[in-house]
């Protein structure tokens, strides 16, 4: 997807400038290798990849999957430890679906002096669907109670983010007004 291409472009640019670059992500299997001087570290996702397609999932299956995407201490801790061992000067996070916002808290505890930069790709901090759209496809600016509760949860972890990078002023305004 677009986030992955963007991460690859940035990683390659920093590597060409002589920086040590590590990309830490989820994968089907545990793996670690180096491509063009860039460390690629994949952590096996422990979520429910065996679930049927989205259209045929029942409410319990959807809730279970979403819960693991927003609260997964096992994966967050595993990736945070890998990043800690890499010992970066700066951490730039692009997408935490499947990892969970716990990663920010864990990284702040392990690397308290290392800035954590979040490059926003969507509305995950303020919207559990990541889209900021209602099912009618209209923009959702007046949040229902479940979304307000979700926002309280994500803000607790987002306070560990040093700075945000946003591809648009609209997204930046939505996030800054909500945090």
């Amino acid at each position: 997807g677009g986030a992955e291409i963007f991460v690859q472009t940035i990683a390659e640019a920093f590597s060409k400038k002589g920086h040590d670059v590590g990309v830490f992500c989820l994968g089907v299997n545990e793996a670690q290798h180096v491509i063009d001087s860039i460390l690629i570290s994949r952590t096996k996702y422990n979520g429910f990849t065996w679930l049927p397609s989205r259209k045929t999932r029942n409410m319990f299956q959807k809730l279970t999957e979403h819960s693991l995407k927003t609260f997964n201490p096992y994966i967050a801790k595993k990736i945070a430890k890998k990043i800690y061992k890499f010992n970066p000067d700066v951490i730039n996070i692009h997408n935490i679906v499947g990892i969970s916002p716990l990663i920010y808290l864990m990284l702040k505890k392990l690397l308290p002096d290392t800035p954590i930069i979040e490059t926003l790709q969507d509305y995950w901090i303020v919207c559990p669907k990541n889209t900021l759209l209602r099912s009618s496809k209209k923009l959702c600016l007046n949040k229902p109670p479940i979304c307000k509760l979700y926002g309280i949860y994500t803000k607790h972890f987002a306070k560990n983010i040093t700075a945000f990078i946003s591809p648009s002023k609209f997204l930046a305004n939505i996030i800054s007004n909500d945090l």
Side-chain angles (χ1 to χ4, degrees), residues 2 6 19 26 31 39 47 58 68 70 81 92 100 106 108 137 150 165 171:
F6 189 59
H19 298 282
L26 295 177
L39 170 69
N58 64 39
L68 274 178
T70 55
K81 283 183 176 180
N92 184 218
S100 93
M106 292 177 180
K108 192 49 93 176
K137 306 293 183 212
Y150 174 83
I165 298 172
L171 175 57

Side-chain angles (χ1 to χ4, degrees), residues 21-145:
V21 177
V23 175
F24 301 85
C25 57
L26 295 177
V28 177
N29 296 305
E30 290 284 329
Q32 187 164 307
H33 51 278
V34 176
I35 300 174
D36 296 329
S37 303
I38 299 169
L39 170 69
I40 310 294
S41 178
R42 297 184 194 283
T43 299
K44 184 177 180 182
Y45 179 61
N46 69 337
F48 291 97
T49 54
W50 52 264
L51 288 175
S53 77
R54 284 189 185 272
K55 292 179 182 175
T56 60
R57 290 183 195 158
N58 64 39
M59 186 57 76
F60 175 75
Q61 290 170 324
K62 289 178 184 178
L63 188 60
T64 302
E65 180 187 32
H66 191 72
S67 296
L68 274 178
K69 288 180 178 179
T70 55
F71 185 79
N72 197 331
Y74 173 78
I75 291 292
K77 185 175 184 180
K78 207 167 179 185
I79 292 177
K81 283 183 176 180
K82 289 180 178 185
I83 294 171
Y84 173 77
K85 286 179 186 171
F86 186 74
N87 194 25
D89 294 328
V90 175
I91 300 167
N92 184 218
I93 297 178
H94 287 258
N95 194 331
I96 62 163
V97 172
I99 299 169
S100 93
L102 288 166
I103 189 80
Y104 301 111
L105 181 63
M106 292 177 180
L107 287 171
K108 192 49 93 176
K109 285 182 179 179
L110 290 171
L111 298 160
D113 298 324
T114 305
I116 299 172
I117 311 301
E118 171 76 23
T119 299
L120 299 167
Q121 307 290 342
D122 54 35
Y123 300 92
W124 77 265
I125 293 178
V126 297
C127 175
K129 289 174 30 180
N130 299 350
T131 61
L132 204 64
L133 294 174
R134 294 191 180 273
S135 53
S136 65
K137 306 293 183 212
K138 291 187 178 182
L139 195 59
C140 179
L141 296 175
N142 188 9
K143 291 187 238 169

Side-chain angles (χ1 to χ4, degrees), residues 152-170:
I152 292 167
Y153 167 75
T154 56
K155 282 182 209 177
H156 172 71
F157 299 105
K159 66 184 177 189
N160 294 294
I161 299 170
T162 309
F164 292 92
I165 298 172
S166 175
S168 73
K169 286 183 180 182
F170 183 79

Side-chain angles (χ1 to χ4, degrees), residues 1-15:
E4 292 81 2
I5 293 168
F6 189 59
V7 168
Q8 179 183 354
T9 302
I10 291 172
E12 290 170 350
F14 275 97
S15 181

